[in-house]
Amino acid sequence: MLPCLNKQLFGIDCPGCGLQRSVLLLFKGEFVAAFQMYPAIYTLFLLLIFLGSNLIFKFKNAFPIKVGLLIANVVIIVISYILKMNNLLN
């Protein structure tokens, strides 16, 4: 696994910490553990699948779907990061 530069320099997790381990858990078939490691894993995969399929098939309302998926991912990542940092500080 690649080390987190933010964690090495500052000693705290970044919003992306856990993504690599979550993908590894997902490939091993440990779906609940993958979600617990990084809650945005499934919406990120949904976004990647949509973006890839949109390259092949041009969807009529692709832009609002992309924006919605991006906003959902950002919200999930920020909320899970805040909760993770809150648990670390307590």
Side-chain angles (χ1 to χ4, degrees):
M1 296 280 178
L2 297 172
C4 177
L5 186 61
N6 190 53
K7 193 167 188 172
Q8 286 182 340
L9 293 177
F10 304 115
I12 58 172
D13 290 348
C14 71
C17 280
L19 180 61
Q20 291 180 64
R21 290 173 285 168
S22 179
V23 170
L24 185 64
L25 288 169
L26 191 64
F27 288 146
K28 288 182 178 180
E30 300 177 27
F31 302 112
V32 175
F35 177 78
Q36 290 171 343
M37 181 65 62
Y38 197 76
I41 188 71
Y42 295 114
T43 54
L44 282 173
F45 271 127
L46 184 62
L47 176 63
L48 290 175
I49 289 169
F50 180 77
L51 290 175
S53 63
N54 193 39
L55 290 174
I56 299 168
F57 310 105
K58 299 299 179 191
F59 299 113
K60 183 177 180 182
N61 295 323
F63 184 74
I65 295 171
K66 288 180 203 176
V67 170
L69 287 171
L70 285 170
I71 289 172
N73 278 303
V74 168
V75 167
I76 292 170
I77 291 169
V78 168
I79 289 173
S80 64
Y81 182 70
I82 290 170
L83 291 174
K84 185 192 315 185
M85 290 296 107
N86 190 28
N87 287 336
L88 290 177
L89 297 176
N90 289 336

